[in-house]
Amino acid sequence: AYGMVLTQSFNGAGDTATVTNSGTIIATAREKYADAYGATVSVAGDATFTNAAGGVIDVNGGYARGALVISAGGNTAVGNAGNINVYGGKYGAGMVSSAQNGLATASNSGDITITGGFNQSYGILAQGLNGTTVSNSGDIVVDTALASLSFGINATSGLGDVTVDNSGTIYATYTGGYSGTAFGILGVSTNGNVAIDNSGEIVTYVGGQSVGVFGVSSYGDVSVDNSGSITAYSGSSAAVGVFARADNGMASVDNSGSVLAYSNSGVAYG
């Protein structure tokens, strides 16, 4: 099921697309393994999708995505100032920004709610080969009774820097018992730097591994700055408030806010 689709053949990097929604998009696929997309933009060049203030996207399917933007040779940008609601029976993602050979950006100042997702659930998923930037000043809720892996924000890059800024609220929870893994913010780069700044609120609450902020780079530096609130709760595994790892660079953490890590029957690291 597709609510809105704009696609062009990948014949040249000059193909670009800009799409804005200020109305209502509903996509429902009843078969439990079927795909459902609210808005899809797929081109060879730069691709942009904006769900403006007042815009509503509701998606229900086996593999469900609220807004999916893909570019084979350009940059991608996804923005939300409205409401995105996704129920994924197997997989759910609110916004996906994927630049296979460019820069990926995603920004949210509205509301993103993800439920379901037996395998994986994402509030924002951003992947840019040459760099990735994500900002959230709104509300992201990934609240599932099924997902084995939940992310508020997942931002990755192969060659470039990853930058994530949160001044809003992020909740990544799993209510299905003593299992599941949740990350409030995950930032990963192979060859670039990772910088994560939180001045808002992040809560992860799961039965399994629970991580508020995780930044890692193989060949760059990693910095995490927290002036807000981070809470990581685990029922039976490790609870980690902030984790910064630079395999071949410098890792730093600056905290002037609050970090709480609690595990009912495992280890806890602030």
Side-chain angles (χ1 to χ4, degrees), residues 181-201:
T181 299
F183 293 84
I185 296 175
L186 175 66
V188 179
S189 178
T190 301
N191 292 306
N193 301 322
V194 175
I196 301 173
D197 190 324
N198 175 56
S199 59
E201 181 182 17

Side-chain angles (χ1 to χ4, degrees), residues 62-269:
Y63 294 85
R65 301 160 181 85
L68 173 65
V69 177
I70 301 175
S71 172
N75 304 321
T76 55
V78 185
N80 175 54
N83 290 277
I84 298 177
N85 305 298
V86 174
Y87 176 87
K90 296 287 288 184
Y91 172 101
M95 301 196 309
V96 180
S97 180
S98 179
Q100 298 169 6
N101 289 284
L103 303 172
T105 63
S107 62
N108 175 56
S109 59
D111 296 326
I112 299 174
T113 302
I114 313 298
T115 56
F118 183 78
N119 289 328
Q120 300 174 24
S121 292
Y122 303 85
I124 296 175
L125 174 60
Q127 305 163 321
L129 178 65
N130 295 325
T132 300
T133 300
V134 178
S135 64
N136 175 55
S137 59
D139 296 324
I140 298 175
V141 177
V142 183
D143 186 7
T144 71
L146 299 173
S148 58
L149 192 56
S150 298
F151 301 89
I153 294 173
N154 182 309
T156 63
S157 178
L159 302 178
D161 297 338
V162 171
T163 302
V164 181
D165 183 89
N166 177 57
S167 59
T169 59
I170 298 174
Y171 292 90
T173 64
Y174 171 84
T175 56
Y178 281 78
S179 185
T181 299
F183 293 84
I185 296 175
L186 175 66
V188 179
S189 178
T190 301
N191 292 306
N193 301 322
V194 175
I196 301 173
D197 190 324
N198 175 56
S199 59
E201 181 182 17
I202 299 172
V203 177
T204 57
Y205 190 101
V206 290
Q209 183 179 352
S210 181
V211 184
V213 173
F214 192 111
V216 59
S217 176
S218 298
Y219 293 99
D221 298 332
V222 176
S223 64
V224 178
D225 190 336
N226 177 56
S227 59
S229 172
I230 299 174
T231 302
Y233 172 89
S234 172
S236 61
S237 187
V240 181
V242 175
F243 192 104
R245 190 183 90 190
D247 294 339
N248 293 280
M250 180 178 294
S252 63
V253 177
D254 186 349
N255 177 53
S256 59
S258 66
V259 178
L260 171 64
Y262 177 84
S263 177
N264 189 54
S265 59
V267 299
Y269 302 93

